[in-house]
PDB file of all heavy atoms in Angstrom:
ATOM      1  N   ALA G 255      13.772 -10.358   7.978  1.00 93.00           N
ATOM      2  CA  ALA G 255      13.588  -8.795   7.752  1.00 93.00           C
ATOM      3  C   ALA G 255      12.502  -8.623   6.684  1.00 93.00           C
ATOM      4  O   ALA G 255      11.714  -7.704   6.832  1.00 93.00           O
ATOM      5  CB  ALA G 255      14.979  -8.199   7.370  1.00 93.00           C
ATOM      6  N   ARG G 256      12.539  -9.355   5.618  1.00 90.00           N
ATOM      7  CA  ARG G 256      11.571  -9.151   4.556  1.00 90.00           C
ATOM      8  C   ARG G 256      10.179  -9.494   5.094  1.00 90.00           C
ATOM      9  O   ARG G 256       9.192  -8.644   4.824  1.00 90.00           O
ATOM     10  CB  ARG G 256      11.881  -9.986   3.392  1.00 90.00           C
ATOM     11  CG  ARG G 256      12.959  -9.598   2.406  1.00 90.00           C
ATOM     12  CD  ARG G 256      12.998 -10.307   1.203  1.00 90.00           C
ATOM     13  NE  ARG G 256      13.120 -11.752   1.333  1.00 90.00           N
ATOM     14  CZ  ARG G 256      14.275 -12.471   1.569  1.00 90.00           C
ATOM     15  NH1 ARG G 256      15.461 -11.877   1.440  1.00 90.00           N
ATOM     16  NH2 ARG G 256      14.203 -13.736   1.662  1.00 90.00           N
ATOM     17  N   SER G 257      10.056 -10.488   5.915  1.00 89.00           N
ATOM     18  CA  SER G 257       8.762 -10.855   6.485  1.00 89.00           C
ATOM     19  C   SER G 257       8.257  -9.746   7.413  1.00 89.00           C
ATOM     20  O   SER G 257       7.085  -9.301   7.276  1.00 89.00           O
ATOM     21  CB  SER G 257       9.007 -12.212   7.261  1.00 89.00           C
ATOM     22  OG  SER G 257       7.635 -12.516   7.839  1.00 89.00           O
ATOM     23  N   GLU G 258       9.159  -9.274   8.177  1.00 90.00           N
ATOM     24  CA  GLU G 258       8.758  -8.138   9.116  1.00 90.00           C
ATOM     25  C   GLU G 258       8.359  -6.953   8.455  1.00 90.00           C
ATOM     26  O   GLU G 258       7.385  -6.261   8.701  1.00 90.00           O
ATOM     27  CB  GLU G 258       9.835  -7.970  10.161  1.00 90.00           C
ATOM     28  CG  GLU G 258      10.035  -9.055  11.157  1.00 90.00           C
ATOM     29  CD  GLU G 258      11.275  -8.854  11.985  1.00 90.00           C
ATOM     30  OE1 GLU G 258      12.108  -7.925  11.788  1.00 90.00           O
ATOM     31  OE2 GLU G 258      11.432  -9.722  12.911  1.00 90.00           O
ATOM     32  N   ALA G 259       9.071  -6.606   7.299  1.00 90.00           N
ATOM     33  CA  ALA G 259       8.836  -5.422   6.508  1.00 90.00           C
ATOM     34  C   ALA G 259       7.460  -5.578   5.789  1.00 90.00           C
ATOM     35  O   ALA G 259       6.626  -4.657   5.795  1.00 90.00           O
ATOM     36  CB  ALA G 259       9.955  -5.073   5.450  1.00 90.00           C
ATOM     37  N   GLY G 260       7.249  -6.820   5.395  1.00 88.00           N
ATOM     38  CA  GLY G 260       5.913  -7.018   4.612  1.00 88.00           C
ATOM     39  C   GLY G 260       4.736  -7.023   5.647  1.00 88.00           C
ATOM     40  O   GLY G 260       3.722  -6.331   5.308  1.00 88.00           O
ATOM     41  N   ALA G 261       4.982  -7.499   6.924  1.00 89.00           N
ATOM     42  CA  ALA G 261       3.925  -7.403   7.810  1.00 89.00           C
ATOM     43  C   ALA G 261       3.638  -5.891   8.186  1.00 89.00           C
ATOM     44  O   ALA G 261       2.463  -5.457   8.454  1.00 89.00           O
ATOM     45  CB  ALA G 261       4.294  -8.033   9.103  1.00 89.00           C
ATOM     46  N   ARG G 262       4.717  -5.038   8.318  1.00 90.00           N
ATOM     47  CA  ARG G 262       4.514  -3.651   8.660  1.00 90.00           C
ATOM     48  C   ARG G 262       3.714  -2.903   7.572  1.00 90.00           C
ATOM     49  O   ARG G 262       2.722  -2.201   7.739  1.00 90.00           O
ATOM     50  CB  ARG G 262       5.813  -2.975   8.870  1.00 90.00           C
ATOM     51  CG  ARG G 262       6.539  -3.266  10.198  1.00 90.00           C
ATOM     52  CD  ARG G 262       7.573  -2.251  10.596  1.00 90.00           C
ATOM     53  NE  ARG G 262       8.561  -2.355   9.460  1.00 90.00           N
ATOM     54  CZ  ARG G 262       9.640  -3.256   9.443  1.00 90.00           C
ATOM     55  NH1 ARG G 262       9.710  -4.098  10.396  1.00 90.00           N
ATOM     56  NH2 ARG G 262      10.498  -3.268   8.472  1.00 90.00           N
ATOM     57  N   ALA G 263       4.074  -3.303   6.279  1.00 90.00           N
ATOM     58  CA  ALA G 263       3.377  -2.623   5.135  1.00 90.00           C
ATOM     59  C   ALA G 263       2.046  -3.051   5.054  1.00 90.00           C
ATOM     60  O   ALA G 263       1.142  -2.176   4.778  1.00 90.00           O
ATOM     61  CB  ALA G 263       4.113  -3.092   3.818  1.00 90.00           C
ATOM     62  N   LEU G 264       1.644  -4.293   5.363  1.00 90.00           N
ATOM     63  CA  LEU G 264       0.406  -4.753   5.349  1.00 90.00           C
ATOM     64  C   LEU G 264      -0.557  -4.076   6.514  1.00 90.00           C
ATOM     65  O   LEU G 264      -1.627  -3.749   6.205  1.00 90.00           O
ATOM     66  CB  LEU G 264       0.244  -6.316   5.493  1.00 90.00           C
ATOM     67  CG  LEU G 264      -1.098  -6.906   5.493  1.00 90.00           C
ATOM     68  CD1 LEU G 264      -1.971  -6.604   4.264  1.00 90.00           C
ATOM     69  CD2 LEU G 264      -1.011  -8.464   5.789  1.00 90.00           C
ATOM     70  N   ARG G 265       0.030  -4.009   7.631  1.00 90.00           N
ATOM     71  CA  ARG G 265      -0.591  -3.324   8.746  1.00 90.00           C
ATOM     72  C   ARG G 265      -1.013  -1.797   8.253  1.00 90.00           C
ATOM     73  O   ARG G 265      -2.017  -1.258   8.573  1.00 90.00           O
ATOM     74  CB  ARG G 265       0.195  -3.296  10.033  1.00 90.00           C
ATOM     75  CG  ARG G 265       0.156  -4.607  10.727  1.00 90.00           C
ATOM     76  CD  ARG G 265       0.659  -4.582  12.144  1.00 90.00           C
ATOM     77  NE  ARG G 265       2.090  -4.047  12.142  1.00 90.00           N
ATOM     78  CZ  ARG G 265       3.149  -4.801  12.091  1.00 90.00           C
ATOM     79  NH1 ARG G 265       3.048  -6.184  11.885  1.00 90.00           N
ATOM     80  NH2 ARG G 265       4.352  -4.292  12.188  1.00 90.00           N
ATOM     81  N   ARG G 266       0.093  -1.183   7.706  1.00 92.00           N
ATOM     82  CA  ARG G 266      -0.180   0.347   7.313  1.00 92.00           C
ATOM     83  C   ARG G 266      -1.310   0.359   6.266  1.00 92.00           C
ATOM     84  O   ARG G 266      -2.219   1.224   6.342  1.00 92.00           O
ATOM     85  CB  ARG G 266       1.109   0.877   6.737  1.00 92.00           C
ATOM     86  CG  ARG G 266       2.043   1.300   7.867  1.00 92.00           C
ATOM     87  CD  ARG G 266       3.165   2.137   7.282  1.00 92.00           C
ATOM     88  NE  ARG G 266       4.002   1.585   6.321  1.00 92.00           N
ATOM     89  CZ  ARG G 266       5.085   0.823   6.469  1.00 92.00           C
ATOM     90  NH1 ARG G 266       5.573   0.606   7.669  1.00 92.00           N
ATOM     91  NH2 ARG G 266       5.771   0.322   5.457  1.00 92.00           N
ATOM     92  N   LEU G 267      -1.208  -0.542   5.431  1.00 91.00           N
ATOM     93  CA  LEU G 267      -2.297  -0.504   4.250  1.00 91.00           C
ATOM     94  C   LEU G 267      -3.643  -0.778   4.851  1.00 91.00           C
ATOM     95  O   LEU G 267      -4.709  -0.143   4.546  1.00 91.00           O
ATOM     96  CB  LEU G 267      -1.928  -1.558   3.182  1.00 91.00           C
ATOM     97  CG  LEU G 267      -2.800  -1.626   1.988  1.00 91.00           C
ATOM     98  CD1 LEU G 267      -2.909  -0.262   1.220  1.00 91.00           C
ATOM     99  CD2 LEU G 267      -2.372  -2.661   0.955  1.00 91.00           C
ATOM    100  N   ALA G 268      -3.733  -1.810   5.768  1.00 90.00           N
ATOM    101  CA  ALA G 268      -5.046  -2.052   6.329  1.00 90.00           C
ATOM    102  C   ALA G 268      -5.518  -1.067   7.320  1.00 90.00           C
ATOM    103  O   ALA G 268      -6.784  -0.908   7.506  1.00 90.00           O
ATOM    104  CB  ALA G 268      -4.915  -3.415   7.156  1.00 90.00           C
ATOM    105  N   SER G 269      -4.681  -0.233   7.838  1.00 94.00           N
ATOM    106  CA  SER G 269      -5.084   0.831   8.872  1.00 94.00           C
ATOM    107  C   SER G 269      -5.477   2.118   8.162  1.00 94.00           C
ATOM    108  O   SER G 269      -6.074   2.936   8.766  1.00 94.00           O
ATOM    109  CB  SER G 269      -3.829   1.103   9.797  1.00 94.00           C
ATOM    110  OG  SER G 269      -2.838   1.861   9.129  1.00 94.00           O
ATOM    111  N   MET G 270      -5.222   2.199   6.852  1.00 94.00           N
ATOM    112  CA  MET G 270      -5.683   3.422   6.095  1.00 94.00           C
ATOM    113  C   MET G 270      -7.174   3.469   5.989  1.00 94.00           C
ATOM    114  O   MET G 270      -7.809   2.440   5.986  1.00 94.00           O
ATOM    115  CB  MET G 270      -5.189   3.377   4.619  1.00 94.00           C
ATOM    116  CG  MET G 270      -3.696   3.575   4.526  1.00 94.00           C
ATOM    117  SD  MET G 270      -3.372   3.596   2.644  1.00 94.00           S
ATOM    118  CE  MET G 270      -1.616   3.748   2.817  1.00 94.00           C
ATOM    119  N   GLY G 271      -7.734   4.748   5.946  1.00 95.00           N
ATOM    120  CA  GLY G 271      -9.108   4.834   5.786  1.00 95.00           C
ATOM    121  C   GLY G 271      -9.510   4.446   4.333  1.00 95.00           C
ATOM    122  O   GLY G 271      -8.557   4.358   3.452  1.00 95.00           O
ATOM    123  N   GLU G 272     -10.759   4.188   4.121  1.00 95.00           N
ATOM    124  CA  GLU G 272     -11.057   3.666   2.741  1.00 95.00           C
ATOM    125  C   GLU G 272     -10.663   4.609   1.618  1.00 95.00           C
ATOM    126  O   GLU G 272     -10.121   4.172   0.619  1.00 95.00           O
ATOM    127  CB  GLU G 272     -12.580   3.370   2.888  1.00 95.00           C
ATOM    128  CG  GLU G 272     -13.035   2.656   1.526  1.00 95.00           C
ATOM    129  CD  GLU G 272     -14.612   2.247   1.706  1.00 95.00           C
ATOM    130  OE1 GLU G 272     -15.001   1.897   2.743  1.00 95.00           O
ATOM    131  OE2 GLU G 272     -15.098   2.216   0.616  1.00 95.00           O
ATOM    132  N   GLU G 273     -10.973   5.846   1.771  1.00 96.00           N
ATOM    133  CA  GLU G 273     -10.706   6.854   0.736  1.00 96.00           C
ATOM    134  C   GLU G 273      -9.175   6.939   0.454  1.00 96.00           C
ATOM    135  O   GLU G 273      -8.697   6.861  -0.616  1.00 96.00           O
ATOM    136  CB  GLU G 273     -11.305   8.170   1.002  1.00 96.00           C
ATOM    137  CG  GLU G 273     -10.952   9.257  -0.037  1.00 96.00           C
ATOM    138  CD  GLU G 273     -11.581   8.912  -1.353  1.00 96.00           C
ATOM    139  OE1 GLU G 273     -12.483   8.056  -1.598  1.00 96.00           O
ATOM    140  OE2 GLU G 273     -11.031   9.512  -2.330  1.00 96.00           O
ATOM    141  N   ARG G 274      -8.399   7.109   1.665  1.00 94.00           N
ATOM    142  CA  ARG G 274      -6.916   7.134   1.454  1.00 94.00           C
ATOM    143  C   ARG G 274      -6.444   5.916   0.869  1.00 94.00           C
ATOM    144  O   ARG G 274      -5.510   6.008   0.036  1.00 94.00           O
ATOM    145  CB  ARG G 274      -6.372   7.371   2.817  1.00 94.00           C
ATOM    146  CG  ARG G 274      -4.895   7.602   2.814  1.00 94.00           C
ATOM    147  CD  ARG G 274      -4.285   7.992   4.207  1.00 94.00           C
ATOM    148  NE  ARG G 274      -2.829   8.064   4.143  1.00 94.00           N
ATOM    149  CZ  ARG G 274      -2.079   7.687   5.093  1.00 94.00           C
ATOM    150  NH1 ARG G 274      -2.524   7.234   6.276  1.00 94.00           N
ATOM    151  NH2 ARG G 274      -0.803   7.749   4.993  1.00 94.00           N
ATOM    152  N   ARG G 275      -6.801   4.751   1.273  1.00 94.00           N
ATOM    153  CA  ARG G 275      -6.455   3.412   0.701  1.00 94.00           C
ATOM    154  C   ARG G 275      -6.735   3.415  -0.787  1.00 94.00           C
ATOM    155  O   ARG G 275      -5.946   3.033  -1.615  1.00 94.00           O
ATOM    156  CB  ARG G 275      -6.997   2.312   1.431  1.00 94.00           C
ATOM    157  CG  ARG G 275      -6.378   0.987   0.942  1.00 94.00           C
ATOM    158  CD  ARG G 275      -6.866  -0.239   1.694  1.00 94.00           C
ATOM    159  NE  ARG G 275      -8.264  -0.149   2.121  1.00 94.00           N
ATOM    160  CZ  ARG G 275      -8.531   0.049   3.500  1.00 94.00           C
ATOM    161  NH1 ARG G 275      -7.663   0.040   4.432  1.00 94.00           N
ATOM    162  NH2 ARG G 275      -9.821  -0.013   3.909  1.00 94.00           N
ATOM    163  N   ARG G 276      -7.943   3.901  -1.227  1.00 94.00           N
ATOM    164  CA  ARG G 276      -8.278   3.826  -2.639  1.00 94.00           C
ATOM    165  C   ARG G 276      -7.387   4.689  -3.513  1.00 94.00           C
ATOM    166  O   ARG G 276      -6.937   4.349  -4.484  1.00 94.00           O
ATOM    167  CB  ARG G 276      -9.705   4.327  -2.787  1.00 94.00           C
ATOM    168  CG  ARG G 276     -10.269   4.209  -4.165  1.00 94.00           C
ATOM    169  CD  ARG G 276     -11.573   4.866  -4.523  1.00 94.00           C
ATOM    170  NE  ARG G 276     -11.453   6.369  -4.222  1.00 94.00           N
ATOM    171  CZ  ARG G 276     -10.893   7.318  -5.030  1.00 94.00           C
ATOM    172  NH1 ARG G 276     -10.305   6.861  -6.150  1.00 94.00           N
ATOM    173  NH2 ARG G 276     -10.815   8.548  -4.758  1.00 94.00           N
ATOM    174  N   VAL G 277      -7.034   5.872  -3.002  1.00 93.00           N
ATOM    175  CA  VAL G 277      -6.134   6.889  -3.674  1.00 93.00           C
ATOM    176  C   VAL G 277      -4.765   6.175  -3.679  1.00 93.00           C
ATOM    177  O   VAL G 277      -4.098   6.230  -4.742  1.00 93.00           O
ATOM    178  CB  VAL G 277      -6.121   8.169  -2.951  1.00 93.00           C
ATOM    179  CG1 VAL G 277      -4.909   9.035  -3.480  1.00 93.00           C
ATOM    180  CG2 VAL G 277      -7.436   8.869  -3.014  1.00 93.00           C
ATOM    181  N   TRP G 278      -4.311   5.609  -2.609  1.00 92.00           N
ATOM    182  CA  TRP G 278      -2.923   5.072  -2.564  1.00 92.00           C
ATOM    183  C   TRP G 278      -2.765   3.861  -3.530  1.00 92.00           C
ATOM    184  O   TRP G 278      -1.904   3.737  -4.308  1.00 92.00           O
ATOM    185  CB  TRP G 278      -2.546   4.668  -1.196  1.00 92.00           C
ATOM    186  CG  TRP G 278      -1.162   4.144  -1.203  1.00 92.00           C
ATOM    187  CD1 TRP G 278      -0.075   4.873  -0.850  1.00 92.00           C
ATOM    188  CD2 TRP G 278      -0.669   2.771  -1.411  1.00 92.00           C
ATOM    189  NE1 TRP G 278       1.051   4.115  -0.857  1.00 92.00           N
ATOM    190  CE2 TRP G 278       0.825   2.800  -1.200  1.00 92.00           C
ATOM    191  CE3 TRP G 278      -1.146   1.585  -1.800  1.00 92.00           C
ATOM    192  CZ2 TRP G 278       1.581   1.687  -1.462  1.00 92.00           C
ATOM    193  CZ3 TRP G 278      -0.459   0.491  -2.006  1.00 92.00           C
ATOM    194  CH2 TRP G 278       0.979   0.562  -1.894  1.00 92.00           C
ATOM    195  N   LEU G 279      -3.788   2.999  -3.556  1.00 92.00           N
ATOM    196  CA  LEU G 279      -3.883   1.817  -4.460  1.00 92.00           C
ATOM    197  C   LEU G 279      -3.926   2.244  -5.842  1.00 92.00           C
ATOM    198  O   LEU G 279      -3.274   1.608  -6.784  1.00 92.00           O
ATOM    199  CB  LEU G 279      -5.038   0.885  -4.123  1.00 92.00           C
ATOM    200  CG  LEU G 279      -4.800   0.063  -2.819  1.00 92.00           C
ATOM    201  CD1 LEU G 279      -6.173  -0.653  -2.472  1.00 92.00           C
ATOM    202  CD2 LEU G 279      -3.690  -0.948  -3.114  1.00 92.00           C
ATOM    203  N   SER G 280      -4.655   3.281  -6.159  1.00 91.00           N
ATOM    204  CA  SER G 280      -4.735   3.768  -7.565  1.00 91.00           C
ATOM    205  C   SER G 280      -3.355   4.311  -8.067  1.00 91.00           C
ATOM    206  O   SER G 280      -2.994   3.974  -9.104  1.00 91.00           O
ATOM    207  CB  SER G 280      -5.809   4.955  -7.615  1.00 91.00           C
ATOM    208  OG  SER G 280      -7.037   4.582  -7.441  1.00 91.00           O
ATOM    209  N   ARG G 281      -2.645   5.013  -7.155  1.00 90.00           N
ATOM    210  CA  ARG G 281      -1.376   5.506  -7.595  1.00 90.00           C
ATOM    211  C   ARG G 281      -0.410   4.272  -7.686  1.00 90.00           C
ATOM    212  O   ARG G 281       0.452   4.223  -8.541  1.00 90.00           O
ATOM    213  CB  ARG G 281      -0.871   6.445  -6.529  1.00 90.00           C
ATOM    214  CG  ARG G 281      -1.543   7.855  -6.466  1.00 90.00           C
ATOM    215  CD  ARG G 281      -0.958   8.731  -5.469  1.00 90.00           C
ATOM    216  NE  ARG G 281       0.488   8.935  -5.675  1.00 90.00           N
ATOM    217  CZ  ARG G 281       1.368   8.973  -4.647  1.00 90.00           C
ATOM    218  NH1 ARG G 281       0.916   9.067  -3.348  1.00 90.00           N
ATOM    219  NH2 ARG G 281       2.660   9.237  -4.800  1.00 90.00           N
ATOM    220  N   TYR G 282      -0.493   3.394  -6.777  1.00 89.00           N
ATOM    221  CA  TYR G 282       0.343   2.085  -6.807  1.00 89.00           C
ATOM    222  C   TYR G 282       0.164   1.387  -8.118  1.00 89.00           C
ATOM    223  O   TYR G 282       1.148   1.104  -8.720  1.00 89.00           O
ATOM    224  CB  TYR G 282      -0.063   1.231  -5.626  1.00 89.00           C
ATOM    225  CG  TYR G 282       0.660  -0.190  -5.652  1.00 89.00           C
ATOM    226  CD1 TYR G 282       2.028  -0.243  -5.288  1.00 89.00           C
ATOM    227  CD2 TYR G 282       0.087  -1.245  -6.096  1.00 89.00           C
ATOM    228  CE1 TYR G 282       2.689  -1.472  -5.384  1.00 89.00           C
ATOM    229  CE2 TYR G 282       0.613  -2.369  -6.203  1.00 89.00           C
ATOM    230  CZ  TYR G 282       1.987  -2.582  -5.835  1.00 89.00           C
ATOM    231  OH  TYR G 282       2.597  -3.796  -5.967  1.00 89.00           O
ATOM    232  N   PHE G 283      -1.144   1.031  -8.494  1.00 88.00           N
ATOM    233  CA  PHE G 283      -1.341   0.286  -9.749  1.00 88.00           C
ATOM    234  C   PHE G 283      -0.966   1.185 -10.980  1.00 88.00           C
ATOM    235  O   PHE G 283      -0.481   0.574 -11.928  1.00 88.00           O
ATOM    236  CB  PHE G 283      -2.727  -0.130  -9.818  1.00 88.00           C
ATOM    237  CG  PHE G 283      -3.044  -1.455  -8.910  1.00 88.00           C
ATOM    238  CD1 PHE G 283      -3.958  -1.294  -7.788  1.00 88.00           C
ATOM    239  CD2 PHE G 283      -2.343  -2.506  -9.109  1.00 88.00           C
ATOM    240  CE1 PHE G 283      -4.166  -2.250  -6.986  1.00 88.00           C
ATOM    241  CE2 PHE G 283      -2.482  -3.532  -8.168  1.00 88.00           C
ATOM    242  CZ  PHE G 283      -3.433  -3.508  -7.144  1.00 88.00           C
ATOM    243  N   ALA G 284      -1.081   2.428 -10.956  1.00 87.00           N
ATOM    244  CA  ALA G 284      -0.755   3.351 -12.083  1.00 87.00           C
ATOM    245  C   ALA G 284       0.807   3.290 -12.239  1.00 87.00           C
ATOM    246  O   ALA G 284       1.281   3.346 -13.370  1.00 87.00           O
ATOM    247  CB  ALA G 284      -1.184   4.763 -11.785  1.00 87.00           C
ATOM    248  N   SER G 285       1.508   3.095 -11.136  1.00 86.00           N
ATOM    249  CA  SER G 285       2.994   3.163 -11.232  1.00 86.00           C
ATOM    250  C   SER G 285       3.653   1.820 -11.624  1.00 86.00           C
ATOM    251  O   SER G 285       4.865   1.775 -11.935  1.00 86.00           O
ATOM    252  CB  SER G 285       3.525   3.594  -9.927  1.00 86.00           C
ATOM    253  OG  SER G 285       3.428   2.684  -8.903  1.00 86.00           O
ATOM    254  N   ARG G 286       2.826   0.752 -11.452  1.00 77.00           N
ATOM    255  CA  ARG G 286       3.423  -0.705 -11.742  1.00 77.00           C
ATOM    256  C   ARG G 286       4.067  -0.787 -13.106  1.00 77.00           C
ATOM    257  O   ARG G 286       5.027  -1.512 -13.144  1.00 77.00           O
ATOM    258  CB  ARG G 286       2.259  -1.724 -11.623  1.00 77.00           C
ATOM    259  CG  ARG G 286       1.812  -1.832 -10.146  1.00 77.00           C
ATOM    260  CD  ARG G 286       2.715  -2.532  -9.309  1.00 77.00           C
ATOM    261  NE  ARG G 286       2.892  -3.842  -9.758  1.00 77.00           N
ATOM    262  CZ  ARG G 286       4.034  -4.592  -9.719  1.00 77.00           C
ATOM    263  NH1 ARG G 286       5.044  -3.916  -9.236  1.00 77.00           N
ATOM    264  NH2 ARG G 286       4.161  -5.738 -10.285  1.00 77.00           N
ATOM    265  N   GLY G 287       3.618  -0.119 -14.032  1.00 76.00           N
ATOM    266  CA  GLY G 287       4.223  -0.195 -15.431  1.00 76.00           C
ATOM    267  C   GLY G 287       5.492   0.570 -15.631  1.00 76.00           C
ATOM    268  O   GLY G 287       6.241   0.494 -16.585  1.00 76.00           O
ATOM    269  N   SER G 288       5.837   1.369 -14.647  1.00 73.00           N
ATOM    270  CA  SER G 288       6.939   2.299 -14.705  1.00 73.00           C
ATOM    271  C   SER G 288       8.311   1.606 -14.255  1.00 73.00           C
ATOM    272  O   SER G 288       8.255   0.784 -13.389  1.00 73.00           O
ATOM    273  CB  SER G 288       6.777   3.525 -13.945  1.00 73.00           C
ATOM    274  OG  SER G 288       7.968   4.315 -13.856  1.00 73.00           O
ATOM    275  N   CYS G 289       9.351   1.929 -14.911  1.00 70.00           N
ATOM    276  CA  CYS G 289      10.678   1.484 -14.401  1.00 70.00           C
ATOM    277  C   CYS G 289      11.262   2.385 -13.348  1.00 70.00           C
ATOM    278  O   CYS G 289      12.351   2.216 -12.863  1.00 70.00           O
ATOM    279  CB  CYS G 289      11.660   1.286 -15.546  1.00 70.00           C
ATOM    280  SG  CYS G 289      11.126   0.022 -16.751  1.00 70.00           S
TER     281      CYS G 289
END
């Protein structure tokens, strides 16, 4: 299940347009320090 979920997440990330992915990754990395 973890493997399948990871594969789905990777496909979603890879399918994003460049600008949308840049925005998403920026939000993701900004949130990494939060609990």
Side-chain angles (χ1 to χ4, degrees):
R256 284 191 305 271
S257 176
E258 291 171 352
R262 283 190 304 274
L264 180 58
R265 283 192 304 271
R266 283 193 299 270
L267 186 57
S269 71
M270 286 181 183
E272 190 172 324
E273 178 64 17
R274 182 173 176 216
R275 184 174 38 249
R276 185 192 62 75
V277 168
W278 187 90
L279 285 169
S280 295
R281 288 182 55 218
Y282 172 81
F283 286 116
S285 70
R286 292 286 297 143
S288 173
C289 292

